[in-house]
Every structure is written in structure tokens, then in C-alpha cells.
Amino acid sequence: MRVLVTGGCGFIGSHFVRRLLERGDDVRVLDKLTYSGRRENLEDVDCELVVGDIADAEAVSRAASGCEAIVNFAAETHVDRSILGATDFGRTEFFGTQVLLEEVRRTGARYVQVSTDEVYGDLAGRGSAKETDPVEPSSPYSVAKAAGDLHVPAYVRTFGVDASITRGSNTYGPRQYPEKLVPLFVTNALDGEPLPVYGDGRQIRDWLHVEDHCTGIEFVLREGVAGEVYNVGGGNERENVEITRRIVELTGADPALVRHVTDRPGHDRRYSLDSSKLRALGWEPRRAFDDGLAETVAWYRDNRSWWEPIKSGEYLEYYRRQYAERLA
Ligand code: DAU
């Protein structure tokens, strides 16, 4: 199959591109190359890269030409950045998704919208979210994702397009931009820098290895039904303080680097997904969390040349805005 992967230079997208290529698919990537969309994430693979924005209909048309499917990873993804300023989030997530669906409406390509468990909102004191639950997003980021998702069933109903949604849980693994909890704490620990835990650190996330996330999305691409949503959860709920403790152990860092700092505004306490619908199609996560985290720490230890150049320029500016006061 010839597949257009939008946002294919980002963290999960670049793993997905590799997976499709291993499976013998023909892959083209459309990526705007923002701060986290990194050309080097695909430098060793054989696929065509079109540099452009999913909100630009001409770029989308050019990139999608001849493709039988589009899988959309393109997004502004960081909650803390959306709290500092959300304009780009609405443009990419809401308007960009609509542009892609217009293309799909015109060409008849299959479409998968890669979304997030955050659209279900805070599940503290509740069970696990099912696909039929309402969306109750809490941050500018998750509102933008939920808004983008809303286009999908509307386009299926109104225009009969072949489109599905995946909603994944917190994903970790190699090549994740070091603003997210795992890569930020691992790289800071390796450098002897503080690990800023928001609030009491008892918030719960459901951790999923990036390769397991990608196999889930691939199942939905190949077997998902139009108009349906599929949760892709790791079934592996942990408190942030536990993740932090494991990272300190695995890196051999000084436990005194752990600092409890001012909480994220509106911080959701818990996410949890019921993934039985996707499991019924035959998918299951294979990577045990302890092994996956240990391998991820080893990857960052062995690949300083990937992340050290990132921790300069724009990154340092963001880091200062997000953490300077918190760590003062
Ligand atoms: O759940 C899926 C989502 O996971 C994705 O949709 C998002 O794109 C992705 O960013 C991630 O969102 P989170 O906000 O859960 O991930 P993050 O790595 O930013 O934070 C994970 C937890 O760690 C959260 O409770 C906040 C906390 N945290 C994070 C950072 C960056 C800290 O305590 N300190 C930090 O410095």
C-alpha cells in the first residue's frame, strides 16, 4: 500500500514510518519540520519527504497524490506549551485535520486520525475510558485534539469517507523530544540537572511503548471500520513519582535531583483507557514496561548526539519559560 504519513518526522510518526517500510509498504511523509519534527529521525530510511503543513491544501494534495491511505500524526503535542500559548494547536489540530479530510473526500483514500486519551479528560476516581464515552478535554492541547477528532465522524456520515480514530495513551521510547516526562527526566538525570516533578507527583498515566502504539495504529489502518474510534492503551498505570524513581535508579543519578515544583495548571490526575475493542481485533502491547524503560534509558545514554544539539536555542528558551521560576 502507498501511505502518506503526516507528521512522520516526529516521535511516534517516525517509528510508524519505519514499521510500514519493514512491512513492505511504500511511504511518503509530509512534515512541517517544527521544533519536534526532525529530519534526522528519518535520515537512515528510504522514503520521500515533502516539507509542508497539513493546513496547506496545496501541500497536502501534492503529498497525497497516488496514496491509498493517510495516517495523521501531525500535531502540536505538548500540554505545557499549549498552556503558554495555544494558537498553533488550533490551526494544526482542527484546521489541519479538516484539510486532510477534504483531500480524503476528493481521493477516496483511507484515513486514520491519531489522537490521544487526553480527550476523555480526567478519570480520577473513575474507571477506564471507553470509545463511546464523551470527550471532556481539560487543556488547550486536548481541546484542540478533541476538536480535530470531531471532524472524522462528521466526514464519515456526511461524505461516506473511510476514516477511523485511534486514541493512544502516554507513549515513551527512543527519539522522543526531551520536553516530555520520560526523555526530559532521563536526559536531565544523565546531565545531573534537576527533575521537576509537578505538584505531589501522584498523577497517573498509562504508559505504552512506542512500538506497541505503532502496531495498534497499524491494526486500525488495515482493519479498522469507518467512523469507529479505537483506544490504544498500555494497560500500565503508574504514578509520576514511580516513573521518576525508576529513572533515578536506571541512570544512577543523585536522588536529590528530584524537585517537587509548582503544578501544571488544570493538571489531569489520571488517564486510563479500556482497549478491549482493539484487543478483540488481535492487538496487544508486547513490551513489558520495566524492560521498555530500561531500553529507553540506554538509548538516551548511547545517543547523546541525537539530543544534545536539541537542548539549545529554542529549547532553552522554552525551558526557561517553563521551569526557571519553578526551579528558582
Ligand atoms: O496521554 C497521551 C498524551 O501524553 C499525549 O497526547 C501528549 O501529546 C503527550 O504530551 C502526553 O501528555 P502528558 O501531559 O501526559 O505528558 P507529559 O510527558 O508532558 O507529562 C506526563 C506526566 O508527567 C504529567 O502528569 C505531567 C508530569 N510532568 C511532566 C513534565 C514535562 C512533570 O511532573 N514534570 C515535567 O517536567
Side-chain angles (χ1 to χ4, degrees), residues 272-313:
S272 176
L273 284 178
D274 178 335
S275 308
S276 47
K277 184 172 170 184
L278 187 57
R279 283 175 181 261
L281 287 183
W283 173 82
E284 59 173 356
R286 295 193 178 279
R287 196 70 62 103
F289 181 70
D290 285 341
D291 298 342
L293 190 62
E295 283 168 29
T296 301
V297 169
W299 188 87
Y300 281 95
R301 183 182 282 123
D302 296 344
N303 288 277
R304 277 183 172 270
S305 61
W306 183 87
W307 57 268
E308 274 181 343
I310 288 176
K311 289 199 164 191
S312 63

Short mmCIF file of all heavy atoms in Angstrom, two decimals, residues 272-313:
data_model
loop_
_atom_site.label_atom_id
_atom_site.label_comp_id
_atom_site.label_asym_id
_atom_site.label_seq_id
_atom_site.Cartn_x
_atom_site.Cartn_y
_atom_site.Cartn_z
N SER A 272 -6.81 6.75 31.82
CA SER A 272 -6.91 5.28 31.80
C SER A 272 -7.79 4.88 30.64
O SER A 272 -8.88 5.44 30.44
CB SER A 272 -7.54 4.82 33.12
OG SER A 272 -7.72 3.43 33.10
N LEU A 273 -7.32 3.93 29.85
CA LEU A 273 -8.07 3.51 28.67
C LEU A 273 -8.52 2.06 28.77
O LEU A 273 -7.76 1.19 29.20
CB LEU A 273 -7.17 3.62 27.42
CG LEU A 273 -6.91 5.00 26.87
CD1 LEU A 273 -5.96 4.91 25.67
CD2 LEU A 273 -8.21 5.69 26.46
N ASP A 274 -9.72 1.81 28.33
CA ASP A 274 -10.19 0.45 28.10
C ASP A 274 -9.93 0.14 26.63
O ASP A 274 -10.54 0.74 25.74
CB ASP A 274 -11.70 0.39 28.41
CG ASP A 274 -12.28 -0.99 28.14
OD1 ASP A 274 -11.72 -1.74 27.31
OD2 ASP A 274 -13.32 -1.31 28.75
N SER A 275 -8.99 -0.77 26.37
CA SER A 275 -8.60 -1.05 24.97
C SER A 275 -9.17 -2.37 24.48
O SER A 275 -8.63 -2.98 23.54
CB SER A 275 -7.07 -1.10 24.85
OG SER A 275 -6.48 0.03 25.39
N SER A 276 -10.25 -2.86 25.12
CA SER A 276 -10.73 -4.19 24.75
C SER A 276 -11.21 -4.27 23.29
O SER A 276 -11.12 -5.32 22.66
CB SER A 276 -11.82 -4.67 25.72
OG SER A 276 -12.76 -3.68 25.92
N LYS A 277 -11.65 -3.14 22.75
CA LYS A 277 -12.14 -3.16 21.35
C LYS A 277 -10.99 -3.49 20.38
O LYS A 277 -11.14 -4.32 19.48
CB LYS A 277 -12.74 -1.79 21.04
CG LYS A 277 -13.38 -1.66 19.69
CD LYS A 277 -14.10 -0.32 19.64
CE LYS A 277 -14.57 0.03 18.27
NZ LYS A 277 -15.18 1.38 18.26
N LEU A 278 -9.84 -2.85 20.58
CA LEU A 278 -8.69 -3.13 19.71
C LEU A 278 -8.11 -4.51 20.01
O LEU A 278 -7.69 -5.23 19.09
CB LEU A 278 -7.62 -2.05 19.89
CG LEU A 278 -6.44 -2.11 18.93
CD1 LEU A 278 -6.89 -2.05 17.47
CD2 LEU A 278 -5.45 -0.98 19.20
N ARG A 279 -8.11 -4.88 21.27
CA ARG A 279 -7.61 -6.23 21.63
C ARG A 279 -8.45 -7.31 20.94
O ARG A 279 -7.93 -8.35 20.55
CB ARG A 279 -7.61 -6.42 23.15
CG ARG A 279 -6.44 -5.69 23.82
CD ARG A 279 -6.54 -5.79 25.34
NE ARG A 279 -5.46 -5.10 26.00
CZ ARG A 279 -4.35 -5.66 26.48
NH1 ARG A 279 -4.16 -6.96 26.37
NH2 ARG A 279 -3.42 -4.94 27.07
N ALA A 280 -9.74 -7.03 20.77
CA ALA A 280 -10.61 -8.01 20.10
C ALA A 280 -10.21 -8.20 18.63
O ALA A 280 -10.50 -9.23 18.03
CB ALA A 280 -12.07 -7.59 20.22
N LEU A 281 -9.53 -7.20 18.06
CA LEU A 281 -9.05 -7.34 16.68
C LEU A 281 -7.74 -8.14 16.64
O LEU A 281 -7.21 -8.43 15.57
CB LEU A 281 -8.78 -5.97 16.04
CG LEU A 281 -9.96 -5.10 15.65
CD1 LEU A 281 -9.46 -3.83 14.96
CD2 LEU A 281 -10.91 -5.84 14.71
N GLY A 282 -7.17 -8.43 17.83
CA GLY A 282 -5.93 -9.21 17.88
C GLY A 282 -4.72 -8.43 18.35
O GLY A 282 -3.62 -8.98 18.48
N TRP A 283 -4.88 -7.12 18.64
CA TRP A 283 -3.73 -6.33 19.09
C TRP A 283 -3.48 -6.53 20.57
O TRP A 283 -4.42 -6.68 21.36
CB TRP A 283 -4.00 -4.84 18.84
CG TRP A 283 -2.92 -3.96 19.44
CD1 TRP A 283 -1.71 -3.67 18.87
CD2 TRP A 283 -2.97 -3.26 20.68
NE1 TRP A 283 -1.00 -2.84 19.70
CE2 TRP A 283 -1.74 -2.57 20.82
CE3 TRP A 283 -3.91 -3.14 21.71
CZ2 TRP A 283 -1.43 -1.78 21.93
CZ3 TRP A 283 -3.61 -2.36 22.82
CH2 TRP A 283 -2.39 -1.68 22.92
N GLU A 284 -2.22 -6.54 20.96
CA GLU A 284 -1.88 -6.42 22.38
C GLU A 284 -0.50 -5.82 22.52
O GLU A 284 0.37 -6.04 21.66
CB GLU A 284 -1.95 -7.77 23.11
CG GLU A 284 -1.02 -8.80 22.55
CD GLU A 284 -1.01 -10.07 23.41
OE1 GLU A 284 -1.66 -10.11 24.45
OE2 GLU A 284 -0.32 -11.01 23.00
N PRO A 285 -0.28 -5.01 23.57
CA PRO A 285 1.06 -4.47 23.78
C PRO A 285 2.00 -5.58 24.20
O PRO A 285 1.63 -6.45 24.99
CB PRO A 285 0.87 -3.44 24.90
CG PRO A 285 -0.41 -3.78 25.56
CD PRO A 285 -1.23 -4.57 24.60
N ARG A 286 3.22 -5.60 23.66
CA ARG A 286 4.15 -6.71 23.94
C ARG A 286 5.28 -6.31 24.87
O ARG A 286 5.89 -7.18 25.48
CB ARG A 286 4.77 -7.19 22.61
CG ARG A 286 3.72 -7.80 21.71
CD ARG A 286 4.31 -8.56 20.54
NE ARG A 286 3.23 -9.14 19.76
CZ ARG A 286 2.61 -10.26 20.06
NH1 ARG A 286 2.96 -10.96 21.13
NH2 ARG A 286 1.62 -10.72 19.31
N ARG A 287 5.60 -5.02 24.94
CA ARG A 287 6.80 -4.62 25.69
C ARG A 287 6.46 -4.42 27.16
O ARG A 287 5.63 -3.58 27.51
CB ARG A 287 7.32 -3.31 25.10
CG ARG A 287 8.74 -2.95 25.50
CD ARG A 287 9.75 -3.88 24.85
NE ARG A 287 9.71 -3.76 23.41
CZ ARG A 287 10.59 -3.09 22.69
NH1 ARG A 287 11.63 -2.54 23.25
NH2 ARG A 287 10.47 -3.02 21.38
N ALA A 288 7.09 -5.22 28.05
CA ALA A 288 6.91 -5.02 29.49
C ALA A 288 7.51 -3.66 29.86
O ALA A 288 8.58 -3.29 29.35
CB ALA A 288 7.61 -6.13 30.27
N PHE A 289 6.82 -2.91 30.73
CA PHE A 289 7.23 -1.53 30.99
C PHE A 289 8.66 -1.44 31.53
O PHE A 289 9.44 -0.59 31.11
CB PHE A 289 6.25 -0.86 31.95
CG PHE A 289 6.62 0.56 32.23
CD1 PHE A 289 6.49 1.53 31.25
CD2 PHE A 289 7.13 0.92 33.47
CE1 PHE A 289 6.87 2.85 31.49
CE2 PHE A 289 7.49 2.23 33.72
CZ PHE A 289 7.36 3.20 32.73
N ASP A 290 9.01 -2.32 32.47
CA ASP A 290 10.35 -2.22 33.07
C ASP A 290 11.44 -2.41 32.01
O ASP A 290 12.45 -1.70 32.01
CB ASP A 290 10.52 -3.25 34.19
CG ASP A 290 9.76 -2.81 35.44
OD1 ASP A 290 9.45 -1.60 35.53
OD2 ASP A 290 9.48 -3.66 36.30
N ASP A 291 11.24 -3.37 31.11
CA ASP A 291 12.22 -3.59 30.03
C ASP A 291 12.24 -2.39 29.09
O ASP A 291 13.31 -1.91 28.69
CB ASP A 291 11.86 -4.84 29.21
CG ASP A 291 11.88 -6.10 30.05
OD1 ASP A 291 12.47 -6.06 31.14
OD2 ASP A 291 11.28 -7.12 29.62
N GLY A 292 11.05 -1.93 28.71
CA GLY A 292 10.95 -0.82 27.76
C GLY A 292 11.61 0.43 28.31
O GLY A 292 12.33 1.13 27.58
N LEU A 293 11.40 0.71 29.60
CA LEU A 293 12.00 1.91 30.18
C LEU A 293 13.53 1.76 30.26
O LEU A 293 14.26 2.70 29.94
CB LEU A 293 11.40 2.19 31.57
CG LEU A 293 11.80 3.55 32.15
CD1 LEU A 293 11.30 4.71 31.29
CD2 LEU A 293 11.26 3.70 33.58
N ALA A 294 13.99 0.58 30.65
CA ALA A 294 15.44 0.36 30.74
C ALA A 294 16.09 0.52 29.36
O ALA A 294 17.14 1.17 29.22
CB ALA A 294 15.73 -1.03 31.30
N GLU A 295 15.45 -0.03 28.31
CA GLU A 295 16.00 0.12 26.96
C GLU A 295 15.99 1.59 26.51
O GLU A 295 16.90 2.04 25.83
CB GLU A 295 15.13 -0.66 25.96
CG GLU A 295 15.37 -2.16 25.98
CD GLU A 295 14.28 -2.90 25.20
OE1 GLU A 295 13.71 -2.30 24.25
OE2 GLU A 295 14.01 -4.04 25.56
N THR A 296 14.95 2.30 26.92
CA THR A 296 14.84 3.71 26.53
C THR A 296 15.94 4.52 27.20
O THR A 296 16.59 5.36 26.56
CB THR A 296 13.44 4.24 26.90
OG1 THR A 296 12.47 3.44 26.21
CG2 THR A 296 13.26 5.70 26.52
N VAL A 297 16.17 4.27 28.48
CA VAL A 297 17.26 4.98 29.18
C VAL A 297 18.59 4.67 28.50
O VAL A 297 19.41 5.57 28.26
CB VAL A 297 17.29 4.58 30.68
CG1 VAL A 297 18.57 5.08 31.35
CG2 VAL A 297 16.05 5.14 31.39
N ALA A 298 18.79 3.40 28.13
CA ALA A 298 20.05 3.02 27.47
C ALA A 298 20.19 3.75 26.13
O ALA A 298 21.28 4.21 25.76
CB ALA A 298 20.10 1.50 27.26
N TRP A 299 19.06 3.90 25.41
CA TRP A 299 19.11 4.60 24.12
C TRP A 299 19.56 6.04 24.33
O TRP A 299 20.43 6.54 23.59
CB TRP A 299 17.75 4.56 23.41
CG TRP A 299 17.85 5.11 22.01
CD1 TRP A 299 18.19 4.42 20.88
CD2 TRP A 299 17.68 6.49 21.61
NE1 TRP A 299 18.23 5.29 19.81
CE2 TRP A 299 17.92 6.55 20.22
CE3 TRP A 299 17.35 7.66 22.30
CZ2 TRP A 299 17.84 7.75 19.50
CZ3 TRP A 299 17.28 8.85 21.58
CH2 TRP A 299 17.51 8.89 20.19
N TYR A 300 19.00 6.73 25.31
CA TYR A 300 19.40 8.14 25.54
C TYR A 300 20.86 8.22 26.01
O TYR A 300 21.59 9.15 25.64
CB TYR A 300 18.45 8.83 26.52
CG TYR A 300 17.16 9.24 25.85
CD1 TYR A 300 16.04 8.41 25.89
CD2 TYR A 300 17.06 10.42 25.12
CE1 TYR A 300 14.86 8.76 25.23
CE2 TYR A 300 15.89 10.78 24.46
CZ TYR A 300 14.80 9.95 24.52
OH TYR A 300 13.64 10.30 23.86
N ARG A 301 21.28 7.23 26.79
CA ARG A 301 22.68 7.23 27.24
C ARG A 301 23.62 7.07 26.03
O ARG A 301 24.65 7.71 25.96
CB ARG A 301 22.89 6.09 28.25
CG ARG A 301 24.30 6.08 28.81
CD ARG A 301 24.54 4.93 29.77
NE ARG A 301 23.97 5.17 31.08
CZ ARG A 301 23.09 4.39 31.70
NH1 ARG A 301 22.65 3.29 31.11
NH2 ARG A 301 22.63 4.68 32.90
N ASP A 302 23.22 6.23 25.07
CA ASP A 302 24.07 5.92 23.92
C ASP A 302 23.91 6.90 22.76
O ASP A 302 24.62 6.78 21.75
CB ASP A 302 23.75 4.51 23.37
CG ASP A 302 24.07 3.43 24.38
OD1 ASP A 302 24.80 3.72 25.35
OD2 ASP A 302 23.55 2.30 24.23
N ASN A 303 22.94 7.77 22.82
CA ASN A 303 22.65 8.64 21.67
C ASN A 303 22.61 10.12 22.05
O ASN A 303 21.71 10.86 21.63
CB ASN A 303 21.32 8.22 21.00
CG ASN A 303 21.47 6.92 20.25
OD1 ASN A 303 21.92 6.87 19.11
ND2 ASN A 303 21.13 5.83 20.92
N ARG A 304 23.62 10.54 22.80
CA ARG A 304 23.72 11.96 23.15
C ARG A 304 23.76 12.84 21.91
O ARG A 304 23.28 13.97 21.92
CB ARG A 304 24.99 12.21 23.97
CG ARG A 304 24.84 11.91 25.45
CD ARG A 304 26.11 12.25 26.20
NE ARG A 304 25.86 12.14 27.63
CZ ARG A 304 25.44 13.14 28.39
NH1 ARG A 304 25.24 14.33 27.87
NH2 ARG A 304 25.20 12.96 29.67
N SER A 305 24.33 12.28 20.82
CA SER A 305 24.45 13.08 19.59
C SER A 305 23.08 13.42 19.02
O SER A 305 22.93 14.34 18.23
CB SER A 305 25.27 12.34 18.55
OG SER A 305 24.61 11.13 18.23
N TRP A 306 22.04 12.67 19.41
CA TRP A 306 20.67 13.00 18.95
C TRP A 306 20.10 14.14 19.80
O TRP A 306 19.52 15.07 19.26
CB TRP A 306 19.77 11.77 19.03
CG TRP A 306 18.38 12.02 18.52
CD1 TRP A 306 17.96 11.92 17.22
CD2 TRP A 306 17.24 12.44 19.27
NE1 TRP A 306 16.63 12.26 17.13
CE2 TRP A 306 16.16 12.58 18.37
CE3 TRP A 306 17.03 12.72 20.62
CZ2 TRP A 306 14.89 12.98 18.77
CZ3 TRP A 306 15.76 13.12 21.03
CH2 TRP A 306 14.70 13.25 20.10
N TRP A 307 20.24 14.05 21.12
CA TRP A 307 19.52 15.02 21.97
C TRP A 307 20.32 16.23 22.42
O TRP A 307 19.74 17.27 22.72
CB TRP A 307 18.83 14.35 23.16
CG TRP A 307 19.70 13.55 24.10
CD1 TRP A 307 19.96 12.22 24.02
CD2 TRP A 307 20.39 14.01 25.27
NE1 TRP A 307 20.76 11.82 25.06
CE2 TRP A 307 21.05 12.90 25.85
CE3 TRP A 307 20.51 15.26 25.90
CZ2 TRP A 307 21.81 12.99 27.02
CZ3 TRP A 307 21.26 15.36 27.07
CH2 TRP A 307 21.91 14.23 27.61
N GLU A 308 21.65 16.13 22.43
CA GLU A 308 22.41 17.29 22.91
C GLU A 308 22.22 18.52 22.03
O GLU A 308 22.00 19.61 22.55
CB GLU A 308 23.90 16.94 23.06
CG GLU A 308 24.15 16.33 24.43
CD GLU A 308 25.62 15.98 24.68
OE1 GLU A 308 26.38 15.91 23.71
OE2 GLU A 308 25.97 15.76 25.85
N PRO A 309 22.26 18.37 20.67
CA PRO A 309 22.04 19.56 19.85
C PRO A 309 20.64 20.16 20.03
O PRO A 309 20.45 21.37 19.88
CB PRO A 309 22.20 19.04 18.41
CG PRO A 309 22.93 17.76 18.53
CD PRO A 309 22.58 17.18 19.87
N ILE A 310 19.66 19.31 20.38
CA ILE A 310 18.29 19.81 20.58
C ILE A 310 18.23 20.75 21.78
O ILE A 310 17.50 21.74 21.78
CB ILE A 310 17.32 18.62 20.79
CG1 ILE A 310 17.11 17.87 19.47
CG2 ILE A 310 15.98 19.10 21.36
CD1 ILE A 310 16.26 16.61 19.61
N LYS A 311 19.04 20.43 22.79
CA LYS A 311 18.98 21.22 24.04
C LYS A 311 19.78 22.52 23.88
O LYS A 311 20.75 22.76 24.59
CB LYS A 311 19.47 20.39 25.21
CG LYS A 311 18.49 19.28 25.60
CD LYS A 311 18.74 18.77 27.00
CE LYS A 311 17.58 17.98 27.54
NZ LYS A 311 17.67 17.68 28.95
N SER A 312 19.36 23.32 22.93
CA SER A 312 19.99 24.63 22.70
C SER A 312 18.90 25.53 22.13
O SER A 312 17.76 25.11 21.98
CB SER A 312 21.14 24.46 21.69
OG SER A 312 20.60 24.03 20.45
N GLY A 313 19.23 26.75 21.80
CA GLY A 313 18.33 27.65 21.08
C GLY A 313 16.90 27.67 21.59
O GLY A 313 16.64 27.99 22.75
#
